[in-house]
Structure formats: C-alpha cells, structure tokens
Amino acid sequence: MTAPLLVALVDPALATAKAPPRFRVGPHRGSPCLFVNDVPRFPMYLFEQEISAADAPPFEFFSFIEKTSFLDLGWTGPGQQDFTVIDRVMRVFAEHAPSGYALPRLHLWAPSWWLDTHPGDVVDYAITPGTAGIPRDASFASLTWRQEAGAMLRSMVRHLLDGPEGRRVMGVTIAGGLYGEWLCYNAEYLPDTSEAMRRAWIADLREKYGDDVTRLRSAWNDPAATFSGAAIPTAADRRARSVGLFRDPATSQRVLDYYETYHRVTAEAIAHFARIVKDESGGRLLVSVLYGYSPDQGYLPQEQHHRAVAELHRIRDVDMVTSPHSYYRRAPGDDGAFRTYTESLALHGKLFIDEADDRTHLAPPGTSFVYATTMAESLGLVRRAFGQAVTHACGMWYMDHSSGLWYADPAFGAEFTRLNRWGDYSLNLPRQRVSEVAVISVPTAEFALAGDTDTTAKLYEGPSLTSRQGLGELSKAGAPFDRYVIDDLVEGRVPGHYKVYVFPDAFRLDAAQRAAIAVLKSAGRTLVWGWAPGYADRAGLSKADVESLTGFDLDLVTASGGPPPDPSAPLDVEDFESGTYNGTGYHGPGTIVSGEVHGSAPSTTDWHEFLFSKPSDIPLEANAGYRVRFSARTLTAPGAGAYFYFLARTASGGVPQDVGVHQWTDSGTKEFEFTLKNFTDYYLIWGVHNGGGVAVDDIVVTKIANAGMPPVSYRLDPVVFPGDTATYGGEIALDPLFHPTGTGFTTLARSTGPKPRPVIAGKAMNGWTSVLASAPPLPVPVLRKVYADAGVWLYTDGGDGLEVNASWISLHAATTGTKTIRLPRPEPVYDTGADRLVGTGVTTAQFTLNKGDTLLLTRSNPLVRGGVRFDFETGDLGPFTQGPGGTGNGITQTAVVSGRYSAYGTAERNVDRCDVLCSDPAHITLEPRTKYRVEFSAKASAAPGPSGHFYFLVRSQDAGPAGDVGVTRWRGPLGRIVTRSVTFTTGDRTDYRLIWGMHLGGALSIDDITIARRR
C-alpha cells in the first residue's frame, strides 16, 4: 500500500504573517483548543532548558527556561531589573526556531536580598528545619511579594513584547515555589507559619465568620479564641487524631480553617500574576500555570500537594494548565496516566498541557527516571504521551532537560513530525470524550486526616513504585474514564450520562456535596465508594453517615491502641560516651570520637551510610509513630547538591518503604517524626550523600503514637472470580475500616487471615447500585465486573493502559502478545503506526505488540477525511487500481509529477476511454449523500486526440455513468503540472469510485491526491 503522507489542514504560513499573531484558547469540536489567528492548532510543544537547533525543526511551539539558573525575573534590587538572561535565551530561541512561537516559563521567586529584608514574608515552618541549606522562598500569602514581584513581572512582559521577538511570544508560564510548580519548599517541615500567612488566615477567618468572634469560638469549640490572637496550628495540632487517621472536625475546625487558607492563597497568588500578564499584554498573551496535580507523593505530608483545584479551574485569566504525568508508572509498559482532572479543566475552558518529560535511552548516565533502554522503547513512550494527549483533546510538550541529548537521533525528529501531522488531523474530527465512567475527586477531603503523610496520594498512586495503584488499575481496566472534582458535581456541571461514578477519596463531605451525590442515585447508575466515604463532615465523625451514603450496614473497626505512649519516656537514649558500639543499640562503619559518631565520604561517593540502629536492641513497632532527636555537627561541609540524611528502612521491604526521610547541611539539633509502615524490621540510618563529614550524638528515640490498623490484604471471592487466587492490598494502612455486615449484598472480596471480613461488596439499591471498597486498591478484575454489570463497554481484555475518545484509541502494551480491540458499533479504523486502514466497518480487531509498544488508532478513515496525501512513494498504487483500456497503466519513475513515483497511464488515440486510476471502495469508502473535496496534481506527457480530453469523475458501479458526479475535464498543457480541486456530493449509493482517465488517448500522470469530507 502507498505510504501516506499526513496533511495538516491548517494554514502553514501563519508564522510569517505580517500582523502580530492572535493567540487564544476556545472551544473546538467538543473540547478546548489552541487557536492562532482563529485557526485551530494542535498544541505540541518542544520544552528544553534552551531550544537546541537540532531538536527544533519538527515543532512550531516552544517553551523553555535557562540552562543554569532556570529563568527568573532578573530582579536584582528594589525596583531594579536585569534582562540580560531573558534576552540571551530569546536570541537562542530566535536563532534555532526562526518561525516558532515562544512560551517562556518565568519563575517568580523572590531573590535572596529580598528575603533578607522581609523576614515576615518568608515561608516558615511548624517543625524547625535548621538555618542552612534549606531553600527559602516568599510566602504565597505575602501581599508585599505579590505587589513587588508583580511589578517586575509586568515590566518583564513589556520587555518581551517590545523586544525583537515580541510578535512571536505567545504567552508565559507563571511559575512559583518548588520547581515552579506552586508547591511550598520543604513540605516535610510543615509550612507555612510565616507572619504573612497568619495575616492572610486572620483575614479569611474574619470573612468566613462575619467578623463575629462568637461564631469563631463556637466553630473552634474554644471560648478564648480571638481573631487577632489566632495562632497557626503547630505540628502537634496538625497531627492530633480522634479516631484512627481522622481528626474530629467538630473539635478541629481551627486546623481545617488553616488548611483552607494555606491552599487558597496559592490560587489567589496565581490569579494575581495572571491578571498582570493579561493586563500588560492587552489580553494578547496566553497564561499557563503548573497547578492542580492530583496528589501522588504519599511519603510526604499533605502540605505538599495542590488542594485549591476548584479555585484554580475558575481563574478567568489562566488559559492553560500543565503537569507531568505519573512518575510512578512511566516505564515502558506502564500507563503513564495524567496527574490532573482533565475533564474538569475542559468544563472550565482550560487547555491541559501534559509535560511529557519521559527520559529516552539517550539520556546521559546519572539522569533520574530513565526507564527506556532502546529506541523502540523510547518511541513507545513518545507515542504513549501523544496518545494520551489526542484522546483527551489536550496538548503536550515533549521535554528534554538536557537541551539536545534525549532526542539526539533523527528517528525522534521524524516521529515528532509524523505525530504533529496526526495531531493536526485530529482537529478535523470529533474531539469529545465517550467515557461511561466518571471519577469524582474531593481534593480537600485530606484536611480531615491527621496522618504524618498524605493518605489521598496513596489511594491514587500507592505507597511505592511496586504497589498496585488506584489510577493505575483504572487505566488498565479496559474502559476509559473521565476525571472531575466534586465542586463540578455540586454546580451541576458533570454530565449525567455516565453509568459508573467512582469516589476514591470522598471521606469528607459537606451537605451540598452529599446532596449532589444523592442526585446520581437513580437511572440504574453504579456508585463506587473508596475508603470511609462520608465519615467526616462539619458536625464530626459518623458511621451512620457512611451507612446512609452507601446503603450498607457497617461495622467500624479501629485499632485498640491502649493508652497513648508517654512522650517523656524515650525508647532509647544514647550518647556514645563509652567510646565503643558495645552495649549500645547501634553499629556501623562510622568511628566514635570523643563521644560522637563520625561519618564522612568524598564527593565521588553517592550514598555513604555510616550509622545504623539494631532492630534487636531498638525494636520499632509496625505502623507506630516515632520521634528521633539528635545533635549533628558538620565536620566537612557538603558541596553543591550534597547533604547529610536520616531515614528509617525495613530490611524486608527495602528502599521503596523508607519513611522519615530528612536532609540537612547545617549543625544543630535535629528532630524528626514519622510513622512506620506494616513491617516489623525497621531500623534507623544516618548517612552522607555526595560527600561531606558529620558527627552525630545524643540520639533520643521516642514512641509517640501507638500502631494503627495494619494494611488489609484481601482475595477475591472464588465464586464470583473463579481462578483468581492473587492477594491484593496489604500496603496502605487505613484506620478506621468499615466492613459490610448483615445481608442483602454480594461479597466481591474478603480479607485474608483467620477471620475473613468483606472488604469489597456490591448491593442493589432502589434504582442504583452501590459498591463499597473498604480498602484500596480496587483491582482490575473487580472494576471489569462492576463495569460489565453496569453496561459499560469494555474495549479490551484489560491489563494494558487504554485511552479512548470519539475519534481515537490509544493502547500502551503492558505485556507482549496479541491485543484485541472491541468497538461498540461498526466503524472505520485506521492504524496510524502501520499507516494501514484496518477496515471501514470494524467491530473487532487484533494487533500483535511488544511490551512498551503504543498502538494508536483513529476511529475514522483518513483516506477520505483529508488526513492522507497519496503520493505513491512506495512504488505501488496502494488503495487504488489500474483501469482498463490502455497500456503502461500503473506506476512511473520517469513522467513523475513529484517525488520518485507517480501513478501513470497511456493509451492510443483510437481508445475511447482509458481509466488510468480507480479507487478501491473497500478502502476509500465514500458515504452516500455526503459532500467531498478531492485535490490532485496531474501532468500530461502526451495529448489526447483532437476531440479527446483527460477526465476525473466519481462513479457508482450500480448506477453507472448516469449517476456520475464531480465530472471534470481538461486538456494540456503538456509537461506542466496542473492542480485540480473538485467538490461533489454523492448520491444514495455506497460503491462510489474515484476515477482518473483519458478519452481518445494520451499519457497522464497523477499524484498528491487528498480526499476530504466537507461539512
């Protein structure tokens, strides 16, 4: 078959237009879209530290920072700004991408001199982190920082617009906090206790409670509370629990109020800076921001993650929202799922941009997160990212942190060119999602939990790289799903057509949210509940609320715990004054000098661990909480990127189960708190990373919390799931647990152990079905049964990452083998990787893939949708045939129109009719009563007889010549290329062919054919 060349159905000359381009995000064929001069464009960017000349050619859109120092505001002093760096970076962009558009990422960090002069506006912590080596930043709540950084941003925007490349600046990404991702630095120390944050919190409290101290005292259950005296919650306040992991909202509203402000100010700061960009550019520039990630770092406290998601989605001046996809599941064979609420963003007109920073096999040694080892695996990841984007009708940037090394092979450039053209083609197809499953998240539910690490993150992404993970199981279940936040449901924005609604983290709900959920309990829908749904609300903690929400009678099980540990009674105290490890609970290669343990290593040593506790002498109870305090004295200062560290590790679980990980570079007293996972062999470690020397002394180990509930392991019911003997769960410690009891439900999974209890169960309700998963994750076999029972269409047999929308199917193979795709109705299917039409009425198709391959199918026929230009460069006719009546019909390499080959035919002048080229209706299927446009190039090398001509027409074999449409005739000129465009409407037949030929002889070459259905 001819190897088709994709055609971008957009204006290629936009970048050279004289007027400044107009950029906007707006609706297009059912989803938000990037427009340039009101023409829809597929937003495929290249993101590099600085744009490299070798990587630039396949791309039109670019984003970048700066190679050595990111890209900041050039804020050098009060009211002073240096544009040297931005000017140099823009010159590099202009040289390497002379017709591209730029979206620079501007970091709004406050410089050191500013932080020194505004101590009350600097992020502070509930746990003292020390004084050296800790990154500092302005509090997102600081009005002074917003005002002064805003003035610098305004002048930076003006400088960019007035600069030599101003017309090619399409927008900016406003970046703040850790890595520019609007996260507070050092979340493990529990930010933000700054005076700026306290002032913002007090202002929020006055507004929330109507400046009425009586209402404040009632809500906080504190008769002495005042607005002016409000103190930001301490570490102990934040970790004070009532039942299991839960704090009681009835007595902990002060902490909940603080978390609301802590996250709200971030969205408020983003809105402030976005407005400046829009105002200074007169609305011309787009605004992009990195925010709204679903939580994924379950080893850090909840302060680490984005929770003001609903507020961000409603910021008018933000056009595009971006995040990297999963770091937990991005190896070849993994799903690489998005870390955001894509369909919620679309509801609010935001264009999502996936940060596709998958490292290729060309990444240099020492690069983190490198999983691809071959070109095939690397291209599989590149295609997986594109498949995710095109099925969600969003955008992406391929990110190379090395600015030229990761993609340093022509195969990548060729692939980017090919994918970009398919992206442009996608804009001519329906772009809406067709999922029958909706996942509704409650980002603020975590406020009700007092764990020292983020529980919601574990529900979504699991506690380790090797665990089954909530989003991973959803991605592999064989049916697509859409993601929203619950605020959309409350506002009535979430469509009601879904058959299954999944609530992974609905353990804290208010009255409006419960009412919105209640509306879904009808029309045969299935509602799937994660852990402890509805247990917390403003009034407190209630098992009855869980029962009324889910329809199950439940047993609440929590850890007995016994009396709390005495914090004044340490488990172990050691000062090493004996000068030896004998008689202590420690050992290691570190040397004891003058009552201190010394550890040191050269900068060439990656990890040097010099001190360990002995589990036999200092036993640490699984799932219990501990505090470790010690003094640290720097012997040799660590260099750039180096530090000292402490952690707790289990011998049987290994590195993935590490907890209490902390780093420092200064001298002083260190104190860390952490909760162990479900392992009984944890021990403590002190070490040096990348060189330095440190002395450790006066170690005090104290148990501060009794063990919670151990993680629940479970097996699926053998009657419902015959042959499935796998053990699931067993990694995430949750407390309390809710087990279905009584009758009237179907048990889908039971806990392991001597007294199995229902863990996952389904129950038929009045007009709806309730499925309760007491402990995560909800595994693929259960999801598939729930989906099948609810009537959800299963596109695959499960196990592979799958994404689907109205026009595309993307499957990333988790294993090597044959993959079967099933469609709900007959439709055309085209394999974009093989450039092959699978069929025009496909319901089932099979494909053989290797692990890590990405199958990308379009649910359309590009052969007749303008997506393919037939150029015959493979030396055959592809989906065309030779016609009767002449000689030499077929392919020519001499009388070519363009390239190396063209279709060709010749006939003597006594031949009445010679059909040079005919389309095959089995591949180029023209629908009845449909308008089409056919474009082609032709060259005559011999003229027809005096009364003859060349012709193009569209004919039905059944109807014959009487039903011809699109009839076009022409003569000469000889040896010159002519281009024809023919528009026609088919009749009632289904067997139309495109025919090119000659009447009364001649010689004709045909090439560069495109066929496009018209509206």
Side-chain angles (χ1 to χ4, degrees), residues 620-669:
L620 302 176
E621 184 182 0
N623 305 304
Y626 290 88
R627 177 190 303 121
V628 176
R629 186 177 71 247
F630 58 92
S631 61
R633 184 170 64 86
T634 300
L635 303 174
T636 304
Y643 51 79
F644 312 123
Y645 63 90
F646 164 84
L647 56 86
R649 178 171 295 163
T650 161
S652 56
V655 174
Q657 308 300 335
D658 286 355
V659 297
V661 180
H662 288 84
Q663 308 158 4
W664 73 94
T665 58
D666 60 317
S667 298
T669 299

Short mmCIF file of all heavy atoms in Angstrom, two decimals, residues 620-669:
data_model
loop_
_atom_site.label_atom_id
_atom_site.label_comp_id
_atom_site.label_asym_id
_atom_site.label_seq_id
_atom_site.Cartn_x
_atom_site.Cartn_y
_atom_site.Cartn_z
N LEU A 620 11.27 -1.39 66.64
CA LEU A 620 10.31 -0.38 66.20
C LEU A 620 9.05 -1.09 65.72
O LEU A 620 9.09 -1.92 64.81
CB LEU A 620 10.91 0.47 65.06
CG LEU A 620 12.23 1.18 65.41
CD1 LEU A 620 12.79 1.90 64.19
CD2 LEU A 620 12.03 2.16 66.57
N GLU A 621 7.93 -0.74 66.33
CA GLU A 621 6.67 -1.45 66.08
C GLU A 621 6.06 -1.01 64.75
O GLU A 621 5.98 0.18 64.44
CB GLU A 621 5.69 -1.16 67.22
CG GLU A 621 4.37 -1.90 67.12
CD GLU A 621 3.42 -1.54 68.23
OE1 GLU A 621 3.79 -0.70 69.09
OE2 GLU A 621 2.30 -2.09 68.25
N ALA A 622 5.63 -1.99 63.98
CA ALA A 622 4.99 -1.69 62.69
C ALA A 622 3.79 -0.78 62.89
O ALA A 622 3.02 -0.94 63.85
CB ALA A 622 4.56 -2.99 62.01
N ASN A 623 3.66 0.20 62.00
CA ASN A 623 2.52 1.11 61.96
C ASN A 623 2.45 2.09 63.14
O ASN A 623 1.46 2.81 63.29
CB ASN A 623 1.20 0.34 61.88
CG ASN A 623 1.17 -0.60 60.70
OD1 ASN A 623 1.37 -0.18 59.57
ND2 ASN A 623 0.93 -1.88 60.97
N ALA A 624 3.47 2.13 63.98
CA ALA A 624 3.51 3.06 65.10
C ALA A 624 4.25 4.33 64.70
O ALA A 624 4.97 4.38 63.70
CB ALA A 624 4.18 2.41 66.31
N GLY A 625 4.06 5.38 65.50
CA GLY A 625 4.71 6.65 65.25
C GLY A 625 5.89 6.87 66.17
O GLY A 625 5.84 6.50 67.36
N TYR A 626 6.96 7.49 65.66
CA TYR A 626 8.18 7.71 66.44
C TYR A 626 8.72 9.11 66.20
O TYR A 626 8.48 9.74 65.17
CB TYR A 626 9.26 6.68 66.05
CG TYR A 626 8.91 5.29 66.52
CD1 TYR A 626 8.15 4.44 65.71
CD2 TYR A 626 9.31 4.84 67.77
CE1 TYR A 626 7.80 3.17 66.15
CE2 TYR A 626 8.97 3.56 68.21
CZ TYR A 626 8.21 2.74 67.40
OH TYR A 626 7.87 1.49 67.84
N ARG A 627 9.49 9.57 67.22
CA ARG A 627 10.25 10.80 67.11
C ARG A 627 11.71 10.47 67.39
O ARG A 627 12.03 9.77 68.35
CB ARG A 627 9.76 11.84 68.11
CG ARG A 627 10.58 13.15 68.08
CD ARG A 627 10.26 14.08 69.24
NE ARG A 627 8.85 14.42 69.29
CZ ARG A 627 8.04 14.17 70.32
NH1 ARG A 627 8.53 13.56 71.40
NH2 ARG A 627 6.78 14.52 70.29
N VAL A 628 12.58 10.96 66.52
CA VAL A 628 14.02 10.79 66.71
C VAL A 628 14.65 12.17 66.79
O VAL A 628 14.47 13.00 65.89
CB VAL A 628 14.65 9.98 65.56
CG1 VAL A 628 16.17 9.90 65.74
CG2 VAL A 628 14.06 8.58 65.51
N ARG A 629 15.37 12.41 67.91
CA ARG A 629 16.07 13.68 68.10
C ARG A 629 17.56 13.39 68.29
O ARG A 629 17.93 12.40 68.95
CB ARG A 629 15.53 14.42 69.32
CG ARG A 629 16.12 15.84 69.47
CD ARG A 629 15.53 16.61 70.64
NE ARG A 629 15.97 16.07 71.93
CZ ARG A 629 15.17 15.47 72.80
NH1 ARG A 629 13.89 15.33 72.52
NH2 ARG A 629 15.65 15.01 73.94
N PHE A 630 18.42 14.19 67.71
CA PHE A 630 19.86 14.01 67.86
C PHE A 630 20.56 15.33 67.55
O PHE A 630 19.96 16.25 66.98
CB PHE A 630 20.38 12.90 66.94
CG PHE A 630 20.09 13.14 65.47
CD1 PHE A 630 21.00 13.79 64.65
CD2 PHE A 630 18.89 12.70 64.91
CE1 PHE A 630 20.73 14.00 63.31
CE2 PHE A 630 18.61 12.91 63.56
CZ PHE A 630 19.54 13.56 62.76
N SER A 631 21.80 15.41 67.94
CA SER A 631 22.60 16.58 67.58
C SER A 631 23.49 16.21 66.41
O SER A 631 24.00 15.10 66.31
CB SER A 631 23.45 17.05 68.77
OG SER A 631 24.34 16.02 69.18
N ALA A 632 23.67 17.17 65.50
CA ALA A 632 24.51 16.97 64.32
C ALA A 632 25.51 18.11 64.24
O ALA A 632 25.14 19.28 64.40
CB ALA A 632 23.65 16.93 63.07
N ARG A 633 26.78 17.76 64.01
CA ARG A 633 27.84 18.78 63.90
C ARG A 633 28.58 18.55 62.60
O ARG A 633 29.08 17.45 62.33
CB ARG A 633 28.79 18.69 65.09
CG ARG A 633 29.86 19.77 65.10
CD ARG A 633 30.61 19.77 66.44
NE ARG A 633 31.34 18.55 66.67
CZ ARG A 633 32.58 18.30 66.23
NH1 ARG A 633 33.24 19.22 65.52
NH2 ARG A 633 33.18 17.15 66.50
N THR A 634 28.62 19.59 61.78
CA THR A 634 29.29 19.46 60.48
C THR A 634 30.80 19.41 60.67
O THR A 634 31.39 20.31 61.30
CB THR A 634 28.91 20.63 59.57
OG1 THR A 634 27.49 20.63 59.36
CG2 THR A 634 29.60 20.51 58.22
N LEU A 635 31.41 18.37 60.12
CA LEU A 635 32.86 18.24 60.14
C LEU A 635 33.46 18.76 58.83
O LEU A 635 34.45 19.49 58.84
CB LEU A 635 33.26 16.78 60.33
CG LEU A 635 32.73 16.09 61.59
CD1 LEU A 635 33.09 14.61 61.58
CD2 LEU A 635 33.29 16.77 62.84
N THR A 636 32.86 18.37 57.73
CA THR A 636 33.26 18.86 56.41
C THR A 636 32.00 19.26 55.67
O THR A 636 31.10 18.42 55.49
CB THR A 636 34.00 17.77 55.60
OG1 THR A 636 35.12 17.32 56.36
CG2 THR A 636 34.46 18.32 54.26
N ALA A 637 31.92 20.50 55.29
CA ALA A 637 30.69 20.99 54.66
C ALA A 637 30.43 20.25 53.35
O ALA A 637 31.36 20.07 52.54
CB ALA A 637 30.79 22.48 54.41
N PRO A 638 29.22 19.83 53.14
CA PRO A 638 28.90 19.19 51.86
C PRO A 638 28.92 20.21 50.73
O PRO A 638 28.64 21.39 50.94
CB PRO A 638 27.49 18.63 52.08
CG PRO A 638 26.92 19.47 53.17
CD PRO A 638 28.07 19.89 54.04
N GLY A 639 29.24 19.75 49.52
CA GLY A 639 29.28 20.64 48.38
C GLY A 639 27.90 20.84 47.77
O GLY A 639 26.87 20.43 48.33
N ALA A 640 27.90 21.46 46.59
CA ALA A 640 26.64 21.71 45.90
C ALA A 640 25.93 20.39 45.61
O ALA A 640 26.53 19.45 45.08
CB ALA A 640 26.90 22.47 44.60
N GLY A 641 24.66 20.33 45.97
CA GLY A 641 23.87 19.13 45.72
C GLY A 641 24.11 18.01 46.71
O GLY A 641 23.50 16.95 46.60
N ALA A 642 24.99 18.22 47.69
CA ALA A 642 25.29 17.20 48.69
C ALA A 642 24.58 17.54 50.00
O ALA A 642 24.23 18.69 50.25
CB ALA A 642 26.78 17.08 48.91
N TYR A 643 24.39 16.52 50.85
CA TYR A 643 23.74 16.75 52.14
C TYR A 643 23.94 15.54 53.04
O TYR A 643 24.36 14.46 52.60
CB TYR A 643 22.25 17.04 51.95
CG TYR A 643 21.50 16.04 51.10
CD1 TYR A 643 21.09 14.80 51.60
CD2 TYR A 643 21.19 16.33 49.76
CE1 TYR A 643 20.40 13.89 50.81
CE2 TYR A 643 20.52 15.43 48.96
CZ TYR A 643 20.12 14.21 49.49
OH TYR A 643 19.44 13.30 48.70
N PHE A 644 23.61 15.73 54.31
CA PHE A 644 23.53 14.64 55.27
C PHE A 644 22.07 14.19 55.33
O PHE A 644 21.16 14.97 55.04
CB PHE A 644 24.02 15.10 56.65
CG PHE A 644 25.33 15.83 56.60
CD1 PHE A 644 25.44 17.12 57.11
CD2 PHE A 644 26.44 15.23 56.04
CE1 PHE A 644 26.64 17.80 57.06
CE2 PHE A 644 27.66 15.92 55.98
CZ PHE A 644 27.76 17.20 56.49
N TYR A 645 21.84 12.94 55.75
CA TYR A 645 20.45 12.47 55.74
C TYR A 645 20.19 11.46 56.85
O TYR A 645 21.12 10.83 57.38
CB TYR A 645 20.06 11.89 54.39
CG TYR A 645 20.83 10.64 53.96
CD1 TYR A 645 20.38 9.36 54.29
CD2 TYR A 645 21.99 10.76 53.21
CE1 TYR A 645 21.07 8.22 53.88
CE2 TYR A 645 22.69 9.64 52.80
CZ TYR A 645 22.24 8.36 53.13
OH TYR A 645 22.92 7.24 52.74
N PHE A 646 18.91 11.35 57.17
CA PHE A 646 18.40 10.38 58.13
C PHE A 646 17.17 9.73 57.52
O PHE A 646 16.40 10.37 56.79
CB PHE A 646 18.01 11.06 59.45
CG PHE A 646 17.15 10.21 60.34
CD1 PHE A 646 17.73 9.27 61.18
CD2 PHE A 646 15.77 10.31 60.31
CE1 PHE A 646 16.93 8.45 61.98
CE2 PHE A 646 14.97 9.51 61.10
CZ PHE A 646 15.55 8.58 61.95
N LEU A 647 16.95 8.43 57.85
CA LEU A 647 15.73 7.75 57.42
C LEU A 647 15.55 6.48 58.23
O LEU A 647 16.46 6.04 58.94
CB LEU A 647 15.78 7.44 55.92
CG LEU A 647 16.94 6.61 55.38
CD1 LEU A 647 16.68 5.11 55.49
CD2 LEU A 647 17.23 6.97 53.93
N ALA A 648 14.39 5.89 58.10
CA ALA A 648 14.10 4.57 58.67
C ALA A 648 13.80 3.63 57.52
O ALA A 648 13.01 3.96 56.63
CB ALA A 648 12.93 4.64 59.64
N ARG A 649 14.44 2.44 57.55
CA ARG A 649 14.30 1.49 56.46
C ARG A 649 13.99 0.10 57.00
O ARG A 649 14.45 -0.28 58.07
CB ARG A 649 15.58 1.45 55.62
CG ARG A 649 15.58 0.45 54.47
CD ARG A 649 16.80 0.64 53.60
NE ARG A 649 16.76 1.93 52.93
CZ ARG A 649 17.82 2.52 52.37
NH1 ARG A 649 19.01 1.93 52.41
NH2 ARG A 649 17.69 3.70 51.79
N THR A 650 13.20 -0.64 56.24
CA THR A 650 12.90 -2.02 56.58
C THR A 650 13.77 -2.95 55.74
O THR A 650 13.88 -2.77 54.53
CB THR A 650 11.42 -2.35 56.35
OG1 THR A 650 11.25 -3.77 56.27
CG2 THR A 650 10.91 -1.75 55.05
N ALA A 651 14.38 -3.93 56.38
CA ALA A 651 15.24 -4.86 55.65
C ALA A 651 14.45 -5.68 54.64
O ALA A 651 14.92 -5.94 53.54
CB ALA A 651 15.96 -5.79 56.63
N SER A 652 13.24 -6.05 54.98
CA SER A 652 12.44 -6.89 54.09
C SER A 652 11.75 -6.09 53.00
O SER A 652 11.56 -6.58 51.89
CB SER A 652 11.39 -7.67 54.89
OG SER A 652 10.58 -6.78 55.65
N GLY A 653 11.40 -4.84 53.27
CA GLY A 653 10.71 -4.02 52.27
C GLY A 653 11.65 -3.23 51.39
O GLY A 653 11.31 -2.87 50.27
N GLY A 654 12.84 -2.90 51.90
CA GLY A 654 13.81 -2.19 51.11
C GLY A 654 13.51 -0.71 50.94
O GLY A 654 12.62 -0.14 51.60
N VAL A 655 14.22 -0.09 50.02
CA VAL A 655 14.16 1.36 49.81
C VAL A 655 12.76 1.89 49.54
O VAL A 655 12.39 2.96 50.03
CB VAL A 655 15.13 1.77 48.68
CG1 VAL A 655 14.99 3.24 48.34
CG2 VAL A 655 16.57 1.46 49.10
N PRO A 656 11.92 1.17 48.75
CA PRO A 656 10.59 1.72 48.48
C PRO A 656 9.74 1.98 49.72
O PRO A 656 8.79 2.75 49.67
CB PRO A 656 9.94 0.66 47.58
CG PRO A 656 11.09 -0.03 46.93
CD PRO A 656 12.16 -0.07 47.97
N GLN A 657 10.09 1.33 50.84
CA GLN A 657 9.29 1.50 52.06
C GLN A 657 9.96 2.44 53.06
O GLN A 657 9.56 2.51 54.23
CB GLN A 657 9.04 0.13 52.72
CG GLN A 657 8.47 -0.92 51.78
CD GLN A 657 7.14 -0.54 51.19
OE1 GLN A 657 6.40 0.26 51.77
NE2 GLN A 657 6.81 -1.10 50.03
N ASP A 658 10.96 3.20 52.63
CA ASP A 658 11.62 4.15 53.53
C ASP A 658 10.63 5.18 54.06
O ASP A 658 9.73 5.64 53.33
CB ASP A 658 12.74 4.90 52.80
CG ASP A 658 13.97 4.04 52.56
OD1 ASP A 658 14.01 2.90 53.04
OD2 ASP A 658 14.90 4.53 51.88
N VAL A 659 10.78 5.55 55.31
CA VAL A 659 9.97 6.62 55.90
C VAL A 659 10.90 7.54 56.68
O VAL A 659 12.07 7.21 56.93
CB VAL A 659 8.88 6.05 56.84
CG1 VAL A 659 7.90 5.18 56.06
CG2 VAL A 659 9.50 5.24 57.98
N GLY A 660 10.37 8.70 57.07
CA GLY A 660 11.14 9.63 57.88
C GLY A 660 12.35 10.20 57.19
O GLY A 660 13.32 10.60 57.86
N VAL A 661 12.32 10.27 55.86
CA VAL A 661 13.49 10.73 55.11
C VAL A 661 13.66 12.24 55.31
O VAL A 661 12.76 13.02 54.98
CB VAL A 661 13.35 10.40 53.62
CG1 VAL A 661 14.57 10.87 52.85
CG2 VAL A 661 13.14 8.90 53.43
N HIS A 662 14.83 12.64 55.83
CA HIS A 662 15.11 14.06 56.04
C HIS A 662 16.56 14.35 55.67
O HIS A 662 17.42 13.47 55.76
CB HIS A 662 14.87 14.48 57.49
CG HIS A 662 13.42 14.53 57.84
ND1 HIS A 662 12.69 13.43 58.24
CD2 HIS A 662 12.54 15.57 57.86
CE1 HIS A 662 11.44 13.78 58.48
NE2 HIS A 662 11.32 15.07 58.25
N GLN A 663 16.81 15.59 55.27
CA GLN A 663 18.14 16.02 54.82
C GLN A 663 18.50 17.31 55.53
O GLN A 663 17.64 18.11 55.88
CB GLN A 663 18.13 16.24 53.30
CG GLN A 663 17.59 15.08 52.50
CD GLN A 663 17.11 15.50 51.13
OE1 GLN A 663 17.24 16.66 50.74
NE2 GLN A 663 16.51 14.57 50.39
N TRP A 664 19.82 17.53 55.70
CA TRP A 664 20.27 18.80 56.26
C TRP A 664 21.73 19.02 55.86
O TRP A 664 22.42 18.09 55.40
CB TRP A 664 20.11 18.81 57.78
CG TRP A 664 21.09 17.95 58.52
CD1 TRP A 664 22.28 18.34 59.06
CD2 TRP A 664 20.97 16.54 58.78
NE1 TRP A 664 22.92 17.28 59.65
CE2 TRP A 664 22.13 16.16 59.50
CE3 TRP A 664 20.03 15.58 58.51
CZ2 TRP A 664 22.35 14.85 59.93
CZ3 TRP A 664 20.23 14.28 58.93
CH2 TRP A 664 21.38 13.92 59.63
N THR A 665 22.19 20.24 56.03
CA THR A 665 23.58 20.58 55.74
C THR A 665 24.24 21.37 56.87
O THR A 665 25.44 21.63 56.81
CB THR A 665 23.68 21.41 54.44
OG1 THR A 665 22.89 22.59 54.60
CG2 THR A 665 23.19 20.61 53.24
N ASP A 666 23.47 21.76 57.88
CA ASP A 666 23.98 22.63 58.93
C ASP A 666 24.16 21.85 60.22
O ASP A 666 23.73 20.72 60.37
CB ASP A 666 23.01 23.79 59.17
CG ASP A 666 21.64 23.29 59.59
OD1 ASP A 666 21.16 22.31 58.99
OD2 ASP A 666 21.06 23.87 60.53
N SER A 667 24.78 22.48 61.20
CA SER A 667 24.92 21.91 62.54
C SER A 667 23.72 22.30 63.39
O SER A 667 23.08 23.33 63.17
CB SER A 667 26.20 22.43 63.20
OG SER A 667 27.35 22.04 62.48
N GLY A 668 23.41 21.47 64.39
CA GLY A 668 22.32 21.79 65.29
C GLY A 668 21.57 20.56 65.71
O GLY A 668 21.88 19.43 65.32
N THR A 669 20.54 20.78 66.53
CA THR A 669 19.68 19.68 66.99
C THR A 669 18.63 19.38 65.92
O THR A 669 17.97 20.29 65.41
CB THR A 669 18.98 20.06 68.30
OG1 THR A 669 19.98 20.29 69.30
CG2 THR A 669 18.06 18.94 68.75
#
